[in-house]
Amino acid sequence: MTTADPALLYPQHLAVLTARADEALARSGREHLLIPSGRRHYQVFDDRDYPFAVNPHFKHWLPLTGVADSWIAYSPGRRPKVIYLQPFDYWHVVPEAPNGWWVGHVDVEVIRTPEEALQLLPGPPERCAIIGEANSALGSYVPDNPAAALDYLHYQRSYKTPYEVALMRIAQRRAAHAHRAAERAFRAGASEFEIHMTYCAAARQDATEVPYQNIVALNEHGAVLHYTELDRDPPAQARSFLIDAGASHHGYAADITRTYAADRGGEFQAMVEAVDRAQQAMCAGVRAGADYRQLHVDAHLALMGVLREFGVLRVSPEAALATGVSAAFFPHGLGHPIGLQVHDVAGFAASDRGGTIPRPDGHPYLRMTRVLEPGMVVTIEPGVYFIDMLLDEVKKNGHAASVDWARVDAFRPYGGIRIEDDVLCTDAAPENLTRPAFAD
Ligand code: GLY
Ligand code: MN
């Protein structure tokens, strides 16, 4: 029987993490694994703190994203110990007493000051692998991130447990619901800022809780890959809308992009639909044994096929790829691993003992070069854009004849198109996590 209830899936997840921790400790020659949750960062010369970003390794073990100065201490053969800071503090809301599905599976020690952890951490510090950022140091417990442990843990993070996939599915539903609200706001004539606020309200997450800054782009702004300006006033005429926005659930990210045409009967809408069809075919390629670098190159060819179909490209997709013209229209990678971080770790990892799989020549922004395996979740986010800066290079490089510039002029006012889903690789057909969330 399968379940989607994270509470029921957590014990198996914890068993996987403890087995991985055992191996990481054996490889690094240490006795204890320590994971600080992290400490707040402050703005320079100021008492204002930045939004707290918990150590991803900490939220891997526990569904806690807002608890600073706390620790996980794991020693093989013993239950994990959670040293949980619940300070005496009347300036801020104090983290609530430990509760939830994880509590019964670990030993919890509540502390009232960060320093009290010193009495509870196993030692000596030099026998510990301490995984975290430098400012989490406490006394002699200084994060040292031994490479043998970190390479192993990062590599293994690529393989999501059923618990993790369950949390990611919930993040997808939250984001898809907000995408729907954003589309309605666009069609009602809202500004970028208003659409962003509508999105956050529907996701019930503010800008510090969503896993990355929302990209809400009307018209030509869609041609700026990471456009985050958010115009306060609507344009005189809204022609197109590109939204790249996610949501989090217990620290797991969803990363979704959609593009809409105001005119549902026009040529831009037709191009959006063509990219969408191509994108779904690419999602179907997320299969065990597929080399993500090849999927990326195939995506170039498919997208150039769309541009040729619409008369933008005058040469074959193969010729556009060979001359670099395709990179002017599709200047980013096909996607990336996703999980505890929106751009998750180990996208280039050659093995769990280190090493890097390089990007193919001419594709400097690809974030994933591995062969896909069951349990991996990756984004598939092809796009085509009309970016003057890059198209000028095409002209300078002697390839102007590859492009019908009048067709570029026709599409430039729409900015660009990107469609992005998050897809789970299984040992059979891929499971698109995003599309069912939109269908719900
Ligand atoms: N969604 C933003 C990115 O993947 O870079
Ligand atoms: Mn993405």
Side-chain angles (χ1 to χ4, degrees):
M1 197 178 76
T2 59
T3 174
D5 182 352
L8 299 178
L9 296 168
Y10 183 72
Q12 186 255 345
H13 173 73
L14 196 58
V16 169
L17 294 200
T18 55
R20 290 180 189 169
D22 289 344
E23 179 65 18
L25 288 170
R27 289 184 181 204
S28 56
R30 311 292 172 92
E31 290 174 23
H32 315 284
L33 180 70
L34 304 187
I35 305 175
S37 64
R39 192 160 280 173
R40 294 188 183 280
H41 288 259
Y42 289 85
Q43 297 180 24
V44 66
F45 306 131
D46 207 328
D47 63 358
R48 291 186 57 209
D49 53 349
Y50 290 103
F52 179 64
V54 72
N55 179 350
H57 290 273
F58 188 88
K59 61 179 175 170
H60 203 192
W61 288 70
L62 302 170
L64 302 176
T65 55
V67 184
D69 294 298
S70 297
W71 295 73
I72 295 163
Y74 172 72
S75 310
R78 305 183 63 165
R79 269 158 63 102
K81 185 195 287 184
V82 177
I83 301 170
Y84 185 99
L85 178 68
Q86 206 187 14
F88 293 114
D89 181 353
Y90 54 88
W91 290 94
H92 306 101
V93 170
V94 171
E96 55 189 18
N99 67 81
W101 61 67
W102 56 278
V103 169
H105 302 280
V106 298
D107 292 333
V108 184
E109 303 268 9
V110 174
I111 54 174
R112 300 298 179 186
T113 67
E115 294 70 30
E116 284 174 40
L118 283 170
Q119 311 305 317
L120 298 165
L121 290 170
E126 57 274 17
R127 298 229 180 106
C128 300
I130 308 180
I131 307 293
E133 61 179 335
N135 87 335
S136 300
L138 182 68
S140 305
Y141 290 90
V142 179
D144 62 341
N145 300 312
L150 205 59
D151 285 341
Y152 180 75
L153 293 175
H154 278 177
Y155 193 84
Q156 295 299 328
R157 255 176 59 187
S158 307
Y159 310 106
K160 271 59 181 179
T161 64
Y163 163 84
E164 296 183 280
V165 175
L167 295 181
M168 292 182 77
R169 281 202 185 90
I170 297 170
Q172 294 287 328
R173 286 205 292 276
R174 193 182 270 268
H177 174 70
H179 269 263
R180 291 276 189 227
E183 184 194 354
R184 285 194 294 277
F186 159 65
R187 298 210 183 275
S191 69
E192 292 168 346
F193 184 75
E194 290 161 343
I195 296 171
H196 163 74
M197 298 302 276
T198 300
Y199 183 95
C200 288
R204 298 168 69 111
Q205 296 194 332
D206 77 9
T208 66
E209 294 170 294
V210 290
Y212 56 94
Q213 250 185 304
N214 284 351
I215 296 168
V216 175
L218 297 174
N219 299 344
E220 291 90 344
H221 295 161
V224 180
L225 298 183
H226 278 177
Y227 174 85
T228 52
E229 297 300 306
L230 298 174
D231 270 357
R232 269 45 176 181
D233 297 314
Q237 188 199 357
R239 294 176 288 273
S240 60
F241 173 38
L242 186 156
I243 174 166
D244 182 342
S248 301
H249 189 67
H250 290 311
Y252 284 87
D255 178 3
I256 302 174
T257 310
R258 291 291 182 267
T259 308
Y260 303 99
D263 174 3
R264 296 178 205 246
E267 208 170 26
F268 186 70
Q269 170 75 29
M271 192 185 271
V272 170
E273 288 170 12
V275 172
D276 189 71
R277 281 193 296 276
Q279 190 265 2
Q280 292 202 52
M282 295 169 204
C283 291
V286 176
R287 290 203 166 248
D291 186 327
Y292 199 88
R293 293 172 299 181
Q294 187 61 47
L295 298 186
H296 171 79
V297 170
D298 292 346
H300 269 265
L301 296 174
L303 292 169
M304 293 313 108
V306 171
L307 290 183
R308 192 170 162 118
E309 183 190 328
F310 281 80
V312 175
L313 203 63
R314 291 182 138 147
V315 295
S316 70
E318 290 74 14
L321 179 64
T323 56
V325 169
S326 69
F329 290 105
F330 175 37
H332 58 75
L334 176 60
H336 49 86
I338 182 169
L340 288 161
Q341 294 161 238
V342 63
H343 295 162
D344 214 358
V345 291
F348 305 102
S351 81
D352 61 11
R353 294 186 184 273
T356 298
I357 305 171
R359 299 176 170 108
D361 283 343
H363 300 274
Y365 299 111
L366 186 58
R367 290 177 178 276
M368 169 76 178
T369 53
R370 287 173 65 179
V371 171
L372 293 170
E373 294 174 66
M376 292 181 172
V377 183
V378 293
T379 70
I380 296 291
E381 50 181 306
V384 290
Y385 311 87
F386 301 91
I387 304 173
D388 285 330
M389 195 188 304
L390 299 180
L391 294 172
D392 286 347
E393 292 294 312
V394 169
K395 289 180 186 159
K396 279 193 209 138
N397 293 340
H399 300 299
S402 301
V403 174
D404 183 331
W405 297 100
R407 300 295 285 151
V408 168
D409 290 343
F411 284 107
R412 185 185 288 106
Y414 300 91
I417 300 169
R418 181 165 64 253
I419 312 277
E420 176 179 27
D421 293 338
D422 304 343
V423 184
L424 171 67
C425 182
T426 76
D427 47 20
E431 185 184 335
N432 188 317
L433 300 178
T434 306
R435 299 267 165 169
F438 272 85
D440 271 355

